[in-house]
Amino acid sequence: MGEHKLQWGLKNRLSRITNNGKIIMLAVDHGYFQGPTTGLENPRRTIEPLLPYVDSLMVTRGVLRTSVEPSTDIPIVLRVSGGTSILKELSNEVVTTSMEEAIRLNASAVAVSIFVGADHEKESLDNLAKVVDEGERYGMPVLAVTAVGREMNRDARYLALASRIAAELGAHMVKTYYCEDFYKVVEGCPVPVVIAGGKKIAEKDALQLAYNAIKDGALGVDMGRNIFQSEDPVAMVKALRAVVKEGKSVEEAYSLFTRESGKQIKVVQKVQPGEDLD
Ligand code: 5RP
């Protein structure tokens, strides 16, 4: 049997995630080390209205079981690394969820963080390598997340290093941050790259970030806070779709956001007596 046929399950799962085009993955896994993150205090309330507009959902098993209807037809990217909290050293992760559990939950991919340059770099890379081995065995793609410690520069040199290491260890997709000269990160990484949004910024700036990433070769966005912490998350995800999936400009997408969120600036025209408006 050819390699292609042997990897049918893995490729089938991967195609559910990549959806044959640019993608929007909704990241709602923040609670695994941050607790009830702003905007995600009640995961179900946040997630449900956004599902019709995203291609996949990045989530832990706890939130998946409790806050997503099993009948929902959304590809799941299951976070399987963790075991740390914001109160301690974040790089000290372990694998928290088995491959068997990922299959039971019908995940389409699993996600593991790596911490290149951090105290527990080696252990986190070991987590990734072992999960890739298991993933290959069971036909489960692995998304590597390049977590960036406070002491690291989020520049192309660092992010290209971390992304390339993830791909070399066998990750099927890499999630990293956008940076200046981002095309260098994409060029140096032989598997598809998606970007995290990072801390909440103004909606127009987040749309610009997504636009730039796509222009520089990203497969899509794996965004959390810039969607669910927006003043109107549904309007924001629709605007993101316009940029990522429909090739619209930032201006066009932002005006969609303002229209959808009812934020349009109302121009009050003063009508002089006897004057008509069209
Ligand atoms: C943490 C993660 C988060 O899912 C993530 O950083 C993506 O969300 P955001 O767009 O809020 O940065 O993987 O390691």
Side-chain angles (χ1 to χ4, degrees):
M1 218 187 302
E3 173 76 359
H4 183 76
K5 284 181 184 156
L6 280 174
Q7 292 211 316
W8 196 92
L10 193 144
K11 287 180 176 164
N12 175 259
R13 285 194 168 97
L14 202 54
S15 74
R16 274 175 58 73
I17 300 294
T18 55
N19 209 6
N20 294 323
K22 299 292 180 187
I23 61 167
I24 299 185
M25 192 184 294
L26 175 65
V28 286
D29 59 327
H30 305 58
Y32 91 92
F33 70 102
Q34 290 188 175
T37 311
T38 306
L40 272 183
E41 295 89 344
N42 179 324
R44 180 182 289 267
R45 204 179 301 144
T46 303
I47 295 168
E48 259 178 13
L50 295 170
L51 286 180
Y53 307 102
V54 299
D55 300 301
S56 58
L57 187 66
M58 182 178 179
V59 72
T60 59
R61 68 170 150 187
V63 167
L64 182 62
R65 281 179 187 155
T66 56
S67 312
V68 182
E69 281 306 306
S71 56
T72 308
D73 186 22
I74 185 92
I76 298 300
V77 179
L78 188 71
R79 168 167 283 283
V80 298
S81 74
T84 56
S85 83
I86 44 171
L87 303 180
K88 290 227 174 182
E89 171 53 43
L90 286 177
S91 68
N92 198 14
E93 287 194 350
V94 293
V95 175
T96 53
T97 309
S98 69
M99 194 54 72
E100 192 185 28
E101 172 78 331
I103 292 163
R104 204 164 26 236
L105 292 168
N106 200 26
S108 294
V110 294
V112 177
S113 287
I114 59 168
F115 297 79
V116 172
D119 289 355
H120 296 277
E121 171 187 279
K122 185 176 169 190
E123 290 87 342
S124 72
L125 295 177
D126 189 48
N127 290 341
L128 174 62
K130 292 205 166 106
V131 172
V132 169
D133 275 344
E134 288 260 282
E136 295 287 342
R137 192 171 306 134
Y138 293 101
M140 183 69 75
V142 180
L143 169 69
V145 181
T146 70
V148 183
R150 264 180 225 102
E151 60 290 354
M152 302 297 160
N153 276 337
R154 284 190 192 189
D155 58 16
R157 201 156 166 232
Y158 172 75
L159 295 172
L161 171 76
S163 300
R164 177 59 172 266
I165 290 172
E168 298 266 354
L169 291 179
H172 303 92
M173 200 185 290
V174 170
K175 169 178 174 173
T176 191
Y177 289 90
Y178 182 75
C179 60
E180 203 175 317
D181 294 332
F182 184 69
Y183 70 93
K184 290 183 182 167
V185 179
V186 175
E187 264 175 22
C189 183
V191 297
V193 175
V194 292
I195 60 149
K199 281 198 180 123
K200 171 78 175 73
I201 51 178
E203 275 79 3
K204 194 169 183 185
D205 294 339
L207 293 170
Q208 185 72 57
L209 187 82
Y211 181 89
N212 293 347
I214 296 295
K215 183 170 64 58
D216 281 355
L219 175 70
V221 298
D222 181 6
M223 229 179 230
R225 289 163 287 178
N226 277 290
I227 298 175
F228 63 72
Q229 291 178 353
S230 167
E231 52 192 275
D232 190 330
V234 170
M236 183 58 185
V237 80
K238 285 184 180 175
L240 262 178
R241 280 184 76 87
V243 166
V244 172
K245 297 174 77 77
E246 294 158 25
K248 295 283 196 283
S249 69
V250 173
E251 288 303 331
E252 287 171 308
Y254 187 63
S255 68
L256 173 69
F257 172 77
T258 54
R259 255 193 336 271
E260 290 278 333
S261 62
K263 260 195 66 187
Q264 63 267 58
I265 302 152
K266 295 197 176 66
V267 181
V268 180
Q269 286 183 274
K270 285 199 177 127
V271 182
Q272 300 300 324
E275 192 184 341
D276 284 330
L277 277 182
D278 288 336

